[in-house]
Amino acid sequence: MKIIVPMAGRGSRLRPHTLTIPKPLIPVAGKPIVHRLVEDIAGVLNQPIDEVAFIIHESFGEKVEEELVAIAHKLGAKGTIYYQNEALGTGHAIMCAKDSLSGPAVIAYADTLIRADFDLDKNADSVIWVKQVDKPEAFGVVNLNDNGEIIELVEKPKEFVSDLAVIGIYYFKNVAVLKDELQLVIDNNIIHGGEYQINDGIKQMMAKGMKFVPGKVDEWMDCGNKDVTVDTNTRMLGFLHFDGEHLIDYDVKQENSTIIPPCYIGEDVVLINATVGPNVSLGKGCHVIDSTIKNSLVQTHVHIKNANLDNAMIGNHASFDGDFTSISIGDYSVLE
């Protein structure tokens, strides 16, 4: 089994954080988004992963590539890096990894997290992960027949089709079939919104009678912008706390401070006259002094003083001293 992860560019909706780090590498509950995504998919599949292929922009750099390959190695898999240097769509991104498009594979976009527990239907040609939503008109949705099979993909339907939204994770029994269809999409210049889309390849597979079924997830968490990423951090901390995962480093230095779970507290964190939590992630090397923090995501080596933070997101190596509350500052920022 292979996992194909299109990551594309850094993303603009999560700036300033993505100016210095690609969005999929921003940590949620102490672990990068893409790392959690790959682990969660591997857990759902419950079978050996042979390869994890990442499609990135060349500007991500060697250090990021090494981190991604390490994620694959932790699963006992080969890590492969491909480049998509032009934003030409999901179909184009997948085809940038065409040398890895063979055999059974899962394709997953790297700005989403899931919680799921179901058996993969290996008799189907494809499984499309979906989540029941309250406002389907805001999403791409699937249309099912009486046998529960997917017969149509509809993007942001104006009239009700179904409330099962496509979340951007797909299983293909033989992903080479999708590769062939996407090659036809590109060769025939089939473009929607100025881009080559995976849906056009899927629709051609459906037209040839291939069996598509939905795989329903229990939780679908987005990391598209600051507010939803902070919310995703909160939800993930709750899940991990419920699962009994140890989230607080044993050597946290505390002086007259309180930690209210669930929280993730990394290595070499110092808390002095601080109240942290609930729903806070503090990365490695953070110092929090004379402050209260809740419902916030703080990355590594951040110094926070005289703060009362709620719904905050702070990048690496930032320094914050002042009377602000709901903030979003990127790496190496200073507010005093």
Side-chain angles (χ1 to χ4, degrees), residues 268-270 281-289 293 297-305 309 313-321 327 329-333:
D268 302 322
V269 169
V270 176
S281 287
L282 290 178
K284 179 179 180 179
C286 287
H287 288 213
V288 181
I289 301 170
I293 307 176
L297 197 168
V298 181
Q299 297 185 48
T300 64
H301 304 288
V302 176
H303 284 228
I304 298 173
K305 188 176 181 181
L309 299 179
M313 185 170 176
I314 301 178
N316 300 283
H317 300 278
S319 178
F320 178 84
D321 185 343
I327 64 169
I329 60 176
D331 291 5
Y332 298 97
S333 299

Side-chain angles (χ1 to χ4, degrees), residues 35 50 56 89 106 189 202 212 262 323:
H35 195 160
D50 304 313
I56 66 174
V106 168
N189 202 34
I202 289 174
F212 283 72
D323 187 20

Side-chain angles (χ1 to χ4, degrees), residues 247-249 252 259 263-267 269 271 276 280-283:
L247 298 173
I248 299 175
D249 188 78
V252 175
I259 299 173
C263 286
Y264 168 82
I265 310 291
E267 299 175 359
V269 169
L271 305 177
V276 176
V280 172
S281 287
L282 290 178

